[in-house]
Amino acid sequence: MAAYVATGSGGLVDSSYEGIEALPQFSYIEITLNGFTVKDYAAKQSFYATEESYDDSLARAEEEIKLNLRALASGDHSRKVAHLTGGIDSRAVLAAILSTGNGDQFSFYCSGGPTEPDQVIARQLATEYGLIMTKAQGTEPTVAPETQEEQLLWRFQHTSGLISGPMHRGNTRSSTAIASGGYGELFRSFHNKGIPHVGNPQEVAQKIFGGLGFSTNASRRLLSRDFADRTQARLQNHIVKSEGKGVRRDALLDHVYMSSRNRFFVGEITRSVSPFAARFDPLYSLAGASLALRLDGASRVANIVGMDLIERMSPGLSRLPFDRDRFSGAYAQVREVPATRDFSKQGGPLFDGMVSEPAGNAGLVKVPKPTVEERLRANELKMAPRLIAEFPATRDGIKDLIAGMTGSRFESAFNSRAVTLLVDRPPSHRVHYRTARSIYASLLWYHRG
């Protein structure tokens, strides 16, 4: 619960429950009449010890992704929906779809308003390649949570308190298959800012998770000193294990990301969707992830593997505009910037006519509506207005739930003084609003999960 608040995901702890351990990656259990043994898959050796060249590894990653995509395209689902945004990961999925000739097997979905960068680029891509878009992603709930408490609690209940996932008890089973790009994270760097501090787990934790959970200022650190120390020790243990696998020093924290956040966040999202729809990630590639870990830090920050995979699978696709310039920054430091091109087709894409139907009880939902002043404040802080509108109820809910716990139980994980300061004064940053919401959601699940 406290680890989720401090890090935003699972991973540094194996489970929401005490006494539950997760198997390491590349491991499985063999059970016999005499007991059980933890063993490693053969792929573990090649993942960490390969001497394969960059080009050979890239070619193998391409084939793994195409194999995944063909398996998804050949399924007998009533609909196949691919997420499409202005970013790199969904474009890698699109490259695999185009390269295998399966563009007509999918409808392409992008959330957000029509003027948002993701929507603008997604629609231009669909127009450029003659793709069909959709306004129904295939996981719409039939029953909506009616209160703020239910909105927070239901999502945690479906993941057993691990993360606030996308699904809840109001969803029903559909025959839709969904192609997502979450494992594209493994081709690039996320925790590179912490690399200079490896060896000092507190500084690493502050750099990659922020100061709210791990600040040296006791009045600002949300975690208790003991729990912060134990969490930092877990982080250091992940780093030491990564070193033991032969991971290069400037990739240690990205390997920690792979074995913790990506596994317990992206992986958990896919698992939590699976009872309702066949969510599948074509970018799952051991060759691609292994290759990225062998590159220098600058190349991972630039997402060289992701960009090269797009261009290999669908030449010219990576040269079209993204939601922002992807070449002039980190990429330009390690590669010559390629010639880019603009979209050549005008107009807009076709849609399949399907829309997300509102939940049957949508008219009964009772959550605070933002005032004009709250919307203006939200614009200043660049955040969702609803978080400001919900904050009074969030604050009161946190206080009520804390009051229902023994002081020692709460304070074994949280710094009660810092939590009180966070909720008692008007937040000055969007991170404070989000953190308060995470604390409330976690406490709700702890009490009522």
Side-chain angles (χ1 to χ4, degrees):
M1 182 176 70
Y4 171 79
V5 171
T7 67
S9 65
L12 288 186
V13 292
D14 286 349
S15 169
S16 308
Y17 296 90
E18 294 178 350
I20 302 296
E21 297 180 7
L23 284 174
Q25 288 175 315
F26 296 103
S27 296
Y28 66 97
I29 293 178
E30 184 178 273
I31 301 174
T32 67
L33 293 175
N34 297 320
F36 70 90
T37 306
V38 177
K39 295 189 173 182
D40 290 334
Y41 289 106
K44 180 178 180 178
Q45 176 68 19
S46 60
F47 185 88
Y48 290 109
T50 182
E51 295 182 0
E52 198 172 43
S53 70
Y54 180 88
D55 288 340
D56 287 345
S57 292
L58 197 69
R60 193 155 58 88
E62 177 187 4
E63 288 309 310
E64 288 176 348
I65 292 170
K66 287 181 178 179
L67 182 65
N68 293 339
L69 197 286
R70 291 189 186 101
L72 179 59
S74 65
D76 58 358
H77 307 86
S78 63
R79 295 180 69 220
K80 298 182 181 72
V81 177
H83 292 165
L84 185 61
T85 69
I88 295 177
D89 298 340
S90 70
R91 192 163 305 191
V93 175
L94 174 59
I97 290 173
L98 295 174
S99 69
T100 56
N102 285 296
D104 59 349
Q105 294 291 311
F106 291 85
S107 295
F108 294 82
Y109 175 82
C110 182
S111 61
T115 61
E116 294 182 19
D118 277 337
Q119 272 277 0
V120 171
I121 297 300
R123 292 186 181 212
Q124 289 178 313
L125 285 167
T127 302
E128 188 79 7
Y129 289 95
L131 308 173
I132 303 298
M133 294 197 72
T134 185
K135 296 181 180 180
Q137 62 177 321
T139 56
E140 293 76 14
T142 55
V143 177
E146 295 180 6
T147 66
Q148 181 185 351
E149 280 193 11
E150 288 181 348
Q151 286 183 348
L152 298 173
L153 181 58
W154 286 12
R155 296 179 185 278
F156 262 94
Q157 286 175 324
H158 187 59
T159 67
S160 298
L162 196 60
I163 62 169
S164 178
M167 312 300 283
H168 54 69
R169 67 178 72 171
N171 290 95
T172 55
R173 178 72 184 175
S174 78
S175 57
T176 302
I178 301 170
S180 65
Y183 284 111
E185 290 186 340
L186 301 183
F187 304 152
R188 61 182 185 271
S189 179
F190 274 86
H191 287 340
N192 60 297
K193 291 181 180 179
I195 284 296
H197 307 280
V198 168
N200 186 326
Q202 182 177 26
E203 290 188 8
V204 172
Q206 283 184 292
K207 287 294 182 181
I208 63 180
F209 298 126
L212 278 178
F214 302 97
S215 174
T216 54
N217 186 331
S219 65
R220 296 181 180 179
R221 187 187 63 248
L222 292 176
L223 300 183
S224 70
R225 179 71 272 167
D226 176 66
F227 190 79
D229 288 343
R230 285 189 284 135
T231 303
Q232 289 158 192
R234 291 190 187 102
L235 175 59
Q236 183 63 21
N237 188 45
H238 273 283
I239 294 172
V240 170
K241 287 182 177 180
S242 299
E243 286 182 309
K245 292 179 172 69
V247 176
R248 56 185 294 161
R249 181 176 175 80
D250 65 0
L252 288 173
L253 295 182
D254 287 329
H255 183 267
V256 170
Y257 186 96
M258 181 189 78
S259 61
S260 58
R261 188 187 188 279
N262 183 272
R263 183 186 185 193
F264 287 87
F265 187 79
V266 175
E268 175 59 18
I269 287 175
T270 294
R271 187 215 60 79
S272 69
V273 173
S274 295
F276 306 105
R279 178 179 166 116
F280 182 69
D281 196 325
L283 302 185
Y284 181 86
S285 166
L286 291 181
S290 173
L291 174 58
L293 287 175
R294 301 198 308 272
L295 297 183
D296 61 88
S299 295
R300 287 196 311 281
V301 172
N303 201 353
I304 293 298
V305 172
M307 285 296 202
D308 283 354
L309 281 170
I310 294 172
E311 197 59 21
R312 280 183 67 100
M313 291 188 287
S314 184
L317 181 58
S318 70
R319 307 315 191 227
L320 289 168
F322 288 89
D323 53 355
R324 56 184 173 83
D325 187 353
R326 300 284 180 163
F327 290 114
S328 64
Y331 190 98
Q333 295 179 19
V334 295
R335 288 266 188 93
E336 181 179 350
V337 175
T340 56
R341 62 190 180 99
D342 206 350
F343 293 102
S344 63
K345 296 183 180 179
Q346 303 300 315
L350 296 176
F351 283 79
D352 63 6
M354 301 190 70
V355 296
S356 297
E357 296 293 337
N361 65 331
L364 302 177
V365 175
K366 302 170 185 175
V367 294
K369 302 295 183 185
T371 64
V372 173
E373 291 77 11
E374 287 168 340
R375 290 185 181 279
L376 291 173
R377 178 61 173 159
N379 286 337
E380 291 175 3
L381 297 178
K382 295 180 173 57
M383 60 178 286
R386 62 181 173 80
L387 295 183
I388 297 180
E390 293 172 356
F391 184 74
T394 299
R395 176 195 59 217
D396 295 343
I398 290 173
K399 290 183 175 182
D400 289 344
L401 292 170
I402 292 175
M405 301 174 69
T406 62
S408 60
R409 186 60 175 166
F410 181 76
E411 291 177 1
S412 67
F414 285 101
N415 177 357
S416 58
R417 181 187 176 195
V419 173
T420 300
L421 286 173
L422 176 70
V423 300
D424 270 354
R425 58 190 180 190
S428 58
H429 195 281
R430 62 178 181 265
V431 173
H432 300 156
Y433 283 101
R434 293 172 184 165
T435 302
R437 195 171 193 264
S438 294
I439 293 173
Y440 187 28
S442 298
L443 289 173
L444 279 170
W445 179 80
Y446 179 80
H447 280 272
R448 302 170 191 173

